Structure formats: C-alpha cells, structure tokens
Amino acid sequence: MTSYTTMDSPLGALLLVADGQGRLSHVLAPSMKGQVSRPDPAWTEHPAPFTAAVAQLTAYFEGELKEFDLPLAPVGSEFRQRVWDALDTIPYGATVTYGELTTAAGRPATSVRAVAGAVGANPLLIVRPCHRVLGANGALTGFAAGLDAKRLLLGLESA
C-alpha cells in the first residue's frame, strides 16, 4: 500500500510518499516539473509512516539538521540509482558541478547530459540534495522545483 502525507515548508506544501514498507519514495514540491505533485487516488493518506521524515525535514529547514537518516525506496534504473547515490556524497553547504557529479557517479565525461537528466528525475527533493549541483560555470541551473527554490535551499545551507 502506498501512503502519503503533506507538510508545510518554505517551498510550499511538500508531498511525501512511502512504499508499503514505510520507506520514503518521493518528496515532491508543488512547483516540480515533470513529476507527480498531487496524490494518486490509489494512495492512502496516512501520516504515521512519515513521523521521522517530517521531523527531519522540519529540523533541516530550521537549520538544525545537516544529514538525513531515513529509509529510502526511490524507483529508478541502475544508472539513475548510481547518480542519486552520488548526490548523497555532496556535503551540506557544498556544491558540485554536473561534471564533478558525473565523475563521482563513475561515468565518463560524455555522460554529463544523461547525469543531468537523472538529477532532474530525482524523486527525493531535499533529502537527496540535487539542489547542490550547479552548471559548469557555477550558475544555478536545472532544479525541478525552480531556481527560486534552489536559491532558498542553498541560502539556508550557507547561513
């Protein structure tokens, strides 16, 4: 059974989704392009599996948490999983370029566009820190929830 809940955040209401074992599969913002931003009618609204996730996200937004410790269950190809795992290695308050992330994911430099696509498909907004990835020249690019949200998250981490 897929369950969900919502929580208020500086980005607006976040949609949290968990698989049947209570593992977090999605953290989505309403402004995210190309991703589900509202509950599927087949999902059950049930806040209990999200107690830890809500507490950790709240602490993150309050500047009290720098690393998440949650059971995760994102669904994606082996390539995407490798890129998402590489996102987890970017420390709080740090940024990397898409090229650096490509190297961290063990992919050749020619894969940078595919890596960027995997970053854009990250279903675990904030928890998997895709907001910490920048363009080659340090420009803010490619954040599914929008550049204003990316600025907010990077600003929060640099405070």
Side-chain angles (χ1 to χ4, degrees):
M1 169 182 78
T2 301
S3 57
Y4 76 93
T5 195
T6 58
M7 69 172 281
D8 291 330
S9 84
L11 302 179
L14 297 178
L15 173 64
L16 284 62
V17 183
D19 69 4
Q21 297 175 350
R23 298 174 303 174
L24 198 60
S25 63
H26 295 81
V27 175
L28 304 166
S31 59
M32 291 180 72
K33 299 175 190 129
Q35 296 208 29
V36 175
S37 60
R38 69 178 77 90
D40 183 295
W43 300 348
T44 303
E45 185 171 13
H46 186 60
F50 302 99
T51 304
V54 169
Q56 288 186 36
L57 284 161
T58 299
Y60 169 82
F61 287 121
E62 292 173 353
E64 298 170 359
L65 181 83
K66 296 183 179 181
E67 189 173 317
F68 292 95
D69 182 22
L70 297 166
L72 305 177
V75 176
S77 67
E78 182 181 328
F79 175 80
R80 284 185 172 180
Q81 295 284 352
R82 181 179 294 176
V83 172
W84 297 340
D85 288 344
L87 288 171
D88 292 339
T89 67
I90 307 169
Y92 180 93
T95 58
V96 300
T97 65
Y98 284 98
E100 291 167 332
L101 185 65
T102 299
T103 299
R107 307 302 303 165
T110 55
S111 300
V112 72
R113 286 182 187 245
V115 166
V119 171
N122 171 27
L124 290 163
L125 184 71
I126 307 158
V127 174
R128 285 249 160 102
C130 53
H131 59 277
R132 298 178 189 155
V133 184
L134 305 176
N137 62 357
L140 296 183
T141 60
F143 190 57
L147 294 183
D148 288 339
K150 188 169 192 163
R151 276 187 207 91
L152 185 146
L153 294 172
L154 291 174
L156 174 77
E157 293 186 11
S158 68

